[in-house]
Amino acid sequence: FLDEHWGRCKNAIVIGAGPLGLLATAHLRLAGVNTSTMDIVPENHLKAMLVNQLGATYIDTREKMPEEIVAQTCRVGNASIIFEASGASELAINLIPCLLRSSICVMTGIPRGKTKANFDADLLLRNIVRYNIVIVGSVNSNRGHFEKAIGSLRKIERNYKGVLKQFFTHSFKLKDYEKAFGLKDPDRIKVMIEI
């Protein structure tokens, strides 16, 4: 469904510039979609630079209220897709009213802790129902998805030479797996364990 939908949309919002958010940004850009990708790191962070390398617009959300982010993101035109890949539940909920008719909001991040948010529930439900908006959560993939992903990675590498290698910020030998899982480096994007 997403492969077909990405090709039809003009604007997209990606929440989170980790591995999944960066891959979503790359896919959207390959489909020619105007993409805004947001995270909580400064403009000079590797994540922000990778977003820009992919031809998307980076938005630093650290000191912005959800309403400010909505105003900044939606001024270019409403989005057809929100791809949430960070667990930022309040932001994701507040961005749903930015979606156009027959749009989709894909939630893949899992929130940590507890977030209690204030939002206009009536507006949210009106938009979801009136505009035929789909909200879906996903965490698992099957073998076919992984096989298809290999082809997608080839396209990304062909179009954005060397960008994928930059996603892998740390590498560990299998015997050092505990270090890999315990890594707290704020510059971490994706950790690789060599087998």
Side-chain angles (χ1 to χ4, degrees), residues 14-17 36-45 47-49 51-52 57-66 68-70 72-73 91:
V14 177
I15 304 170
S36 296
T37 302
M38 49 192 70
D39 207 311
I40 54 171
V41 295
E43 293 277 343
N44 63 352
H45 192 279
K47 289 180 177 184
M49 291 188 280
V51 167
N52 293 327
T57 302
Y58 177 72
I59 299 171
D60 178 357
T61 62
R62 287 176 301 164
E63 295 181 15
K64 294 183 176 85
M65 297 300 290
E68 293 176 86
I69 298 164
V70 169
Q72 184 178 355
T73 309
L91 180 57

Side-chain angles (χ1 to χ4, degrees), residues 115-182:
T115 300
K116 294 193 178 192
N118 290 321
F119 57 89
D120 186 338
D122 289 341
L123 172 67
L124 181 67
L125 287 178
R126 268 196 306 272
N127 282 14
I128 291 169
V129 174
R130 285 183 181 163
Y131 296 122
N132 196 34
I133 293 172
V134 174
I135 301 172
V136 63
S138 177
V139 73
N140 293 319
S141 298
N142 63 33
R143 182 185 173 111
H145 297 132
F146 283 101
E147 290 169 352
K148 194 171 184 181
I150 292 170
S152 295
L153 292 173
R154 286 187 186 118
K155 283 183 197 170
I156 294 168
E157 185 57 30
R158 196 170 40 247
N159 286 276
Y160 303 103
K161 298 250 185 280
V163 76
L164 289 173
K165 288 179 183 170
Q166 295 178 70
F167 288 13
F168 295 96
T169 54
H170 298 79
S171 179
F172 293 91
K173 299 286 183 197
L174 182 57
K175 66 182 172 81
D176 297 322
Y177 72 92
E178 288 177 343
K179 290 179 190 173
F181 285 104

